[in-house]
Amino acid sequence: TTTTTTTLPVTPAPVLTVASLTGHEGSSLTLVVRGDPHGGVLSFRVKNGTAKGCAIKGVAITAKSAGTCIVTATRLASGSTPKVSSKPATIRFDKSAPRTLSLTIVFGAGISSLSSLSVVAIATFAKSLKNGDWLICTGYAKGDPALATRRAASVARYLISLVKVYVTLRSVTIGADDKATLTT
């Protein structure tokens, strides 16, 4: 007897992996997928890991808190390419970098009271703050520590009348301009 063996090539199943693995809370991260370029439409499923509020819109993922989200990518079948899903991928969301905001108020020589323009600028700045934020208010006056302190205090007083923030006062008297600065 003669036995004929025919060997057919075996096409390995396509492999799909989620490649983008780190983002920042509150910001969207575009998901990148590797593998299976010949498949059909790509979709994602997400569930909370240690992060809260994990959500996907299109190919972007967001989380409302720092932690992890678990994502699975699925590419639908297309022609002879079968449907394939990735293994669950852990996407880490780090705390967002703290935002730094600053404002400079210019004073006339020897003056520590706020002008109408300064009041508007401080009110606009206050809108970018949240209750409980910490700020530093520095008053500047060359050779006059009392004036530098009064400038910082007048800016801080008006700011805290608008929003409940904590302000540390400082004064600079060496090589200083007629100004005050607010910095988060």
Side-chain angles (χ1 to χ4, degrees), residues 7 28 50 60 83 86 89 95 104 114 116 122 171 178:
T7 305
S28 64
T50 58
K83 173 182 172 180
S86 70
K95 284 206 169 290
T104 300
L114 298 174
S116 58
I122 295 168
S171 61
D178 294 320

Side-chain angles (χ1 to χ4, degrees), residues 105-124:
I105 301 296
V106 178
F107 290 91
I111 296 173
S112 62
S113 58
L114 298 174
S115 69
S116 58
L117 285 175
S118 297
V119 167
V120 170
I122 295 168
T124 302

Side-chain angles (χ1 to χ4, degrees), residues 14-17 33-38 75:
V15 175
L16 191 64
T17 57
V33 176
R34 293 208 173 93
D36 189 30
H38 306 294
R75 193 171 297 272

Side-chain angles (χ1 to χ4, degrees), residues 77-90:
S78 176
S80 63
T81 305
K83 173 182 172 180
V84 64
S85 292
S86 70
K87 289 181 179 174
T90 301

Side-chain angles (χ1 to χ4, degrees), residues 1-2 22-23 36 38 47 65 70 74 87 136 148 160 179 182:
T1 42
T2 305
T22 306
D36 189 30
H38 306 294
K47 66 181 182 178
S65 71
I70 311 301
T74 300
K87 289 181 179 174
I136 297 172
I160 61 176
K179 67 182 180 181
L182 279 168

